[in-house]
Amino acid sequence: MFRFRLGSIPVEVHPSHLLVSAIIAYTSMRAAQNGWPFAQVAGAPALGQASAMGVFVLSWMLIVFVSVLVHELGHALASRLFGYRPSIALVWLGGHTLPTDTPGPLPWKRDVVITVAGPLFGLMLGVVCLVGYLFLSGGSPALDFFLRTFAGANFIWAIFNMLPVLPLDGGRLVNTLSTRIFGPRRGMVVSQGLALLVCVAVVGYSLSTGWLFAGIFFAMYGYQAFRMLTEALGSSSSGTLSSGALENPLAQKLREGKFALDAGRMDDARRLGAQVLEGGDGLTAELASHAHHLLGWVALKEGQGRQALDHFSQVQGLQVEPHAVAASFSLVGDDARALDWWKQAWQTSSDRTVMHEYAGTLIRLGRAPEALKLPGVEPAAAYSCAERVLFIRGAYSEAAAVGEAALEHAPSASIAYDAACAHARARNVTDAMRMLRRASELGFRDAAYAASDSDLTALHGQPAFEEWLTELKQSVAS
């Protein structure tokens, strides 16, 4: 894995992305050999054939890398328009871009804009490459091939990515809009039913043409769509309810609440869960437990650890996920009790995110050396988990201290900036300015974002802060 930044946007490139791009290049070699200008792949001398193959694979890897990066950059820049701080990760066939500082689920209108921005940027890149090919064609066979392939790849990827199948952007878009139009349950049925039909069609086409790489991916997407569809129809997600409970009218509200939670509609999930608990004579102990489990997750996603624990404590006959209990204890400041739950969750799931939350808990307990010895731990991720929980708790001075400790292991502009925000929240102007200067030394350049960041409100009007902003703007201009 390697990391870099595009302005203030951090980018991570996982080895899986490079592997998949190399596989795409290799499987495309036979189809492209007639137009490949460097050397004929078939029939060339051994050394010439190997060189041609190497150049072809590297060229395709560059095309895939830049195309996916520009696509994700579209999502990231749209996120920035709404004041979020996104991060980009390139993994497997594509990537994902996540805002790191959203207080809750994205409003659906913003979600739509951010989702559409990715394919739009891909189309724009394809147009740029096509225009370049039209104006420069004939000068160099290699450049002609590269620009033509670059344009085609982006047009195909933009269209492919808008197919209504999760986790593609088209699937996210259809899922968001259908749940808004038809409601959580019917919207899920519509979106995942459509996704399943598309997956079956693509897999069938792939088998008939020998394009097995796409067939494998869409078979996995199709299985996911089938599972979500059966859940929406009540045959899987309600499987945790007894057959008698399924006949209760309140069970429908409970299912809709779960789908609202999955879709990020916290207000709807909370309202439906509360309606189940207010169901009167129709409320059974089983339905009440499921409603408390639902409301516990809603509270957890909104950073309300105490409410989450209150709801989870009333769940009977249904397992509460260990990482949910661990996160709840972390949010209320009981890291000693959270630690064992995080360890259990990590050992049973082997999830790296859970492992870093476990490491972050160790750091908050003053056991940083032990945390950094965990297999495969990334110090920056572990310290980030430790700092984020402290920040949510309102323990800003402690969060700032953890952030400064993180700089010793992973010096980066984002870590220094976050530490400055924590100092500013704690009204520690001197240390906040010290960390802002450190952030700019490490490459932070987004003066507009810093000027509007509510975490730095305590610094507004301070001469040192205004001077720092001016210097930052001048350095960017120069």
Side-chain angles (χ1 to χ4, degrees), residues 137-167:
S137 61
S140 167
L143 181 61
D144 289 352
F145 183 91
F146 188 77
L147 290 175
R148 186 174 65 249
T149 306
F150 217 143
N154 278 277
F155 290 140
I156 293 173
W157 175 244
I159 296 171
F160 168 84
N161 204 258
M162 287 305 292
L163 292 176
V165 178
L166 287 173

Side-chain angles (χ1 to χ4, degrees), residues 29 68 74 84 90 165 172 184 192 205 208 233 238-239 276 299 319 338 359 366 387 395 397 408 418 431 463-464:
M29 193 173 298
V68 176
Y84 302 128
L90 304 186
V165 178
R172 182 179 180 89
Q192 297 313 305
Y205 178 79
S208 66
L233 293 173
S238 56
V276 172
Q319 182 183 11
E387 181 183 11
S397 295
E408 299 177 6
D418 288 342
D431 286 331

Side-chain angles (χ1 to χ4, degrees), residues 97-411:
T97 300
L98 297 173
T100 59
D101 57 346
T102 55
L106 291 175
W108 74 273
K109 292 181 180 179
R110 294 186 177 185
D111 195 5
V112 168
V113 172
I114 293 172
T115 300
V116 171
L120 180 60
F121 267 57
L123 285 173
M124 292 169 59
L125 178 59
V127 169
V128 170
C129 294
L130 180 59
V131 171
Y133 169 72
L134 294 176
F135 278 93
L136 301 176
S137 61
S140 167
L143 181 61
D144 289 352
F145 183 91
F146 188 77
L147 290 175
R148 186 174 65 249
T149 306
F150 217 143
N154 278 277
F155 290 140
I156 293 173
W157 175 244
I159 296 171
F160 168 84
N161 204 258
M162 287 305 292
L163 292 176
V165 178
L166 287 173
L168 303 177
D169 289 329
R172 182 179 180 89
L173 187 63
V174 170
N175 188 65
T176 299
L177 294 177
S178 61
T179 54
R180 288 292 304 178
I181 297 171
F182 302 108
R185 180 176 179 273
R186 291 183 180 179
M188 190 68 71
V189 171
V190 171
S191 62
Q192 297 313 305
L194 178 61
L196 183 58
L197 290 175
V198 171
C199 287
V200 170
V202 173
V203 170
Y205 178 79
S206 300
L207 292 176
S208 66
T209 59
W211 195 25
L212 298 181
F213 189 73
I216 292 172
F217 272 93
F218 273 87
M220 294 189 295
Y221 295 160
Y223 172 75
Q224 173 182 280
F226 175 76
R227 182 175 57 81
M228 295 177 70
L229 180 61
T230 54
E231 289 179 356
L233 293 173
S235 62
S236 177
S237 67
S238 56
T240 54
L241 290 172
S242 66
S243 58
L246 287 174
E247 299 175 358
N248 192 313
L250 294 176
Q252 176 60 31
K253 288 186 180 295
L254 186 62
R255 284 195 294 267
E256 291 182 3
K258 290 180 178 179
F259 288 123
L261 176 68
D262 293 339
R265 299 164 59 84
M266 297 300 115
D267 290 340
D268 288 341
R270 187 189 306 103
R271 173 178 54 81
L272 290 164
Q275 288 178 0
V276 172
L277 292 179
E278 296 169 358
D281 294 338
L283 181 64
T284 65
E286 183 180 5
L287 286 170
S289 289
H290 280 271
H292 281 298
H293 183 262
L294 168 66
L295 292 172
W297 268 104
V298 172
L300 185 60
K301 287 180 176 292
E302 294 181 334
Q304 303 296 325
R306 178 57 59 193
Q307 291 183 21
L309 287 173
D310 288 344
H311 284 295
F312 288 147
S313 67
Q314 300 179 69
V315 174
Q316 299 178 3
L318 175 68
Q319 182 183 11
V320 178
E321 297 85 344
H323 63 278
V325 179
S328 301
F329 279 123
S330 292
L331 287 173
V332 300
D334 194 346
D335 282 323
R337 296 180 68 179
L339 186 65
D340 289 338
W341 285 98
W342 279 124
K343 185 175 182 179
Q344 178 186 342
W346 171 46
Q347 291 175 339
T348 55
S349 69
S350 300
D351 187 276
R352 287 184 57 78
T353 299
V354 173
M355 183 264 285
H356 282 112
E357 293 288 359
Y358 173 46
T361 306
L362 286 170
I363 290 172
R364 291 194 298 274
L365 290 171
R367 297 160 60 179
E370 183 178 346
L372 298 180
K373 290 180 181 179
L374 293 175
V377 71
E378 297 178 15
Y383 274 99
S384 176
C385 290
E387 181 183 11
R388 187 187 68 256
V389 172
L390 291 169
F391 199 95
I392 294 173
R393 289 182 197 167
Y396 300 121
S397 295
E398 296 177 51
V402 169
E404 294 204 37
L407 288 172
E408 299 177 6
H409 300 275

Side-chain angles (χ1 to χ4, degrees), residues 12-35:
E12 290 186 355
V13 182
H14 293 247
S16 61
H17 178 73
L18 302 178
L19 174 63
V20 170
S21 64
I23 293 174
I24 292 174
Y26 185 78
T27 56
S28 303
M29 193 173 298
R30 181 182 298 275
Q33 64 180 348
N34 291 332

